[in-house]
Amino acid sequence: MTTTPFNRLLLTGAAGGLGKVLRERLKGYAEVLRLSDIAPMAPAAGPHEEVVTCDLADKAAVHALVEGVDAILHFGGVSTEHSFEDILGPNICGVFHIYEAARQHGVKRIIFASSNHVIGFYRQDEQIDAHALRRPDSYYGLSKSYGEDMASFYFDRYGIETVSIRIGSSFPEPQNRRMLASWLSYDDLTQLIERSLYTADVGHTVVYGASANLTQWWDNRYAAHLGFAPKDSSERFRPAVEAQPAPAADDPSMVYQGGAFVAAGPFN
Ligand code: NAI
Ligand code: 15L
């Protein structure tokens, strides 16, 4: 696959866990990487970098943020379960602001950090593909589901292409039994992002982001055109994970694909 660098790529959520990883790994994919977050970013901008502080809930600020970029990796926002009110601005208004700014500035490709929590109420003994009805497990999962709909609408209406990556659990290593199935290594995430940036004619593609783990809940047949071929597996971490005390068999973390998110809240 040819990976000619983009002129300017925008990464939102750049101060976050995955943002810090991608800041390093996206070098080489763009002449200039524009890094944005509401939180302070360290280190300050280096060569071939721009740092822009921006609240995704601020429409005018996001409009300015998107000017001059060729593609967007939208990783910013609230990343765990919170009250609807806390999620509304960053995730729901935020994703609208990103797409609307993309339309106005002529950006043609977005990589959207969606989540397994869009389908978190499926059970761990089920296998699903991207055409399975969504079963969001949280207000957070609902916001990602809305983001995927935003992506679908902006492709059908305006031709802006998106790859929505339903990321499983992307951390240095799986932290519990559930993550033995949902883990996505940083190397596999990077490969998936490269494929999502450079594959032609993706329309709106939904792809599950998991490594080649022994247990597979997610079937990527509808994203085969991306050619994503994960290389890592959680198996080498199994002994350490299984040395942890086992949760009860009916604990949500052992039953549902979304794990504990299905039982978070209510928030009043
Ligand atoms: P994170 O919470 O470490 O990073 C999210 C970043 O978004 C933070 O730096 C935060 O300051 C920023 N942010 C929050 N509200 C904002 C606002 N109003 N305006 C601008 N920026 C704001 O999360 P992480 O793990 O790095 O995840 C990155 C993205 O990937 C998130 O969208 C998350 O939902 C998604 N994701 C991550 C998974 C994982 O396993 N790490 C799994 C599934 C999805
Ligand atoms: C997510 O969507 C979250 O952003 C991340 O922090 C993890 O909780 C992950 O899902 C997961 O399901 O493990």
Side-chain angles (χ1 to χ4, degrees), residues 156-170:
D156 288 338
R157 179 67 181 82
Y158 300 112
I160 297 173
E161 295 193 299
T162 298
V163 178
S164 290
I165 306 178
R166 288 184 182 166
I167 302 170
S169 306
S170 198

Side-chain angles (χ1 to χ4, degrees), residues 79-80 115-117 140 167-169 171 178-179 182 258 261:
S79 65
T80 53
S115 171
N116 71 87
H117 297 287
Y140 165 71
I167 302 170
S169 306
F171 298 101
R178 169 182 165 270
M179 288 190 193
S182 60
F261 280 55

